[in-house]
């Protein structure tokens, strides 16, 4: 067995409060495109760059364009949890892992069976009428017209996904910080740590083991106890076995 995997296995065994913080790389292994990566959505043809389309102002002013992009790129059919999601769910069930904090909006952690999930950027599974605040599930959005309207009041429905220009949910941030503060081991996976609020959240960690698992180097590599440059799914599965 690889020395680093052995070391991670050892950390798992000697930890009682593991928290996982995951970025886009966790989902790309399920085939979800990362719109920030070089081979991601930036290179594809749209009239506006993704960070413009996925902004609050654009949603209000170009709702149809927003929903074209959203349906095409963010509502992906047939994606399934991968080894990373499934292993994290097992770790939670075993009582070792106390929380998953994710920047992804695809709900794959819950599909894998994780219960305590903090979705910093929201989720495509929740949608709300902007006028009467009635909630709608993903199925309703998928079956609706291009621009989904509320079946009660006819108002515009907005996905509960955090767009650019919008703030993060206070309760979710507070919960995430609570668990990071209490953790003895923080595993950060599938993120280059360049995207807000990842780097800021790590400052709250005061535990023993900071583990970074990412295919490429990150600015935090020198601060970690263990750095593994490999597939997050493969590493977690092997170390948990
Ligand atoms: Zn309504």
């Amino acid at each position: 067995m690889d020395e680093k995997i052995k070391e991670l296995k050892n950390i798992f065994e000697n930890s009682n409060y593991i928290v996982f913080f995951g970025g886009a790389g966790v989902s790309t292994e399920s085939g979800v495109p990362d719109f920030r990566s070089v081979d991601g959505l930036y290179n594809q043809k749209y009239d506006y760059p993704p960070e413009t389309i996925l902004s609050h102002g654009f949603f209000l002013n170009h709702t149809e364009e927003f929903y074209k992009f959203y349906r095409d790129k963010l509502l992906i059919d047939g994606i399934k949890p991968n080894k990373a999601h499934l292993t994290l769910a097992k770790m939670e069930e075993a009582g070792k892992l106390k929380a998953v904090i994710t920047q992804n909006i695809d709900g794959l952690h819950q599909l894998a069976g994780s219960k305590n999930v903090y979705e910093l950027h929201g989720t495509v599974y929740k949608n709300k009428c902007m006028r009467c605040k009635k909630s709608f599930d993903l199925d309703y959005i998928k079956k609706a017209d291009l621009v989904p309207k509320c079946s009660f009041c006819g108002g515009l429905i907005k996905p509960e996904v955090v767009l650019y220009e919008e703030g993060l949910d206070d309760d979710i941030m507070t919960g995430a910080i609570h668990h990071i503060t209490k953790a003895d081991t923080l595993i950060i996976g599938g993120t280059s740590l360049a995207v807000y609020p990842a780097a800021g959240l790590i400052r709250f960690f005061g535990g023993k083991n900071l583990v970074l698992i990412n295919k490429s180097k990150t600015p935090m590599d020198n601060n970690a106890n263990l750095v593994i440059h490999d597939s997050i799914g493969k590493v977690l599965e092997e170390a948990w076995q």
Side-chain angles (χ1 to χ4, degrees):
M1 195 189 289
D2 184 284
E3 276 308 311
K4 289 195 169 186
I5 299 288
K6 224 182 260 180
E7 207 177 323
L8 183 56
K9 207 178 180 62
N10 192 41
I11 287 175
F12 285 170
E13 276 161 19
N14 293 300
S15 300
N16 297 307
Y17 206 114
I18 302 173
V19 170
F20 180 80
F21 183 101
V26 177
S27 288
T28 51
E29 292 183 22
S30 283
V32 178
D34 173 11
F35 66 82
R36 290 185 189 92
S37 77
V38 182
D39 348 302
L41 306 183
Y42 280 116
N43 290 346
Q44 295 172 21
K45 282 176 192 160
Y46 267 87
D47 290 345
Y48 304 88
E51 73 271 28
T52 302
I53 298 175
L54 296 173
S55 69
H56 188 79
F58 194 89
F59 174 80
L60 294 177
N61 297 317
H62 307 266
T63 312
E64 207 165 290
E65 276 292 304
F66 171 90
Y67 266 111
K68 269 184 205 156
F69 182 90
Y70 182 78
R71 289 179 179 282
D72 195 19
K73 299 297 175 193
L74 277 74
L75 297 185
I76 307 136
D77 277 321
I79 50 162
K80 290 194 179 76
N82 62 53
K83 289 172 181 177
H85 302 104
L86 296 168
T87 304
L88 289 163
K90 285 180 196 165
M91 290 169 70
E92 183 183 17
E93 207 184 350
K96 285 276 185 185
L97 183 84
K98 302 301 183 191
V100 169
I101 301 163
T102 181
Q103 296 180 295
N104 301 326
I105 58 170
D106 48 43
L108 286 176
H109 284 291
Q110 290 91 334
L111 266 181
S114 285
K115 303 276 185 276
N116 202 21
V117 183
Y118 293 84
E119 295 169 304
L120 297 177
H121 294 164
T123 172
V124 298
Y125 281 85
K126 291 181 186 166
N127 305 275
K128 203 178 254 182
C129 170
M130 294 185 79
R131 193 186 291 162
C132 75
K133 307 298 176 200
K134 165 94 181 146
S135 292
F136 295 91
D137 62 14
L138 177 56
D139 203 45
Y140 183 90
I141 303 301
K142 282 187 173 172
K143 287 177 180 159
D145 295 337
L146 173 62
V147 175
K149 295 283 171 63
C150 175
S151 57
F152 294 84
C153 79
L156 174 62
I157 296 175
K158 183 187 169 294
E160 289 193 48
V161 163
V162 180
L163 301 176
Y164 291 95
E165 302 163 2
E166 293 178 341
L168 301 181
D169 183 280
D170 278 344
D171 290 343
I172 293 174
M173 275 300 272
T174 305
I177 290 168
H178 166 80
H179 286 290
I180 290 174
T181 308
K182 289 186 75 176
D184 53 15
T185 293
L186 177 62
I187 305 170
I188 300 170
T191 170
S192 57
L193 290 167
V195 181
Y196 174 83
L201 278 173
I202 297 165
R203 288 202 309 261
F204 292 95
F205 177 65
K208 289 181 294 185
N209 309 298
L210 180 63
V211 179
L212 291 185
I213 307 167
N214 196 49
K215 281 184 178 163
S216 54
K217 286 183 181 165
T218 82
M220 287 292 289
D221 279 10
N222 291 335
N223 302 60
N225 304 70
L226 177 63
V227 179
I228 305 178
H229 292 144
D230 204 342
S231 145
I232 178 79
K234 175 174 164 271
V235 169
L236 287 179
E237 188 190 53
E238 285 179 11
W240 184 249
Q241 268 171 3

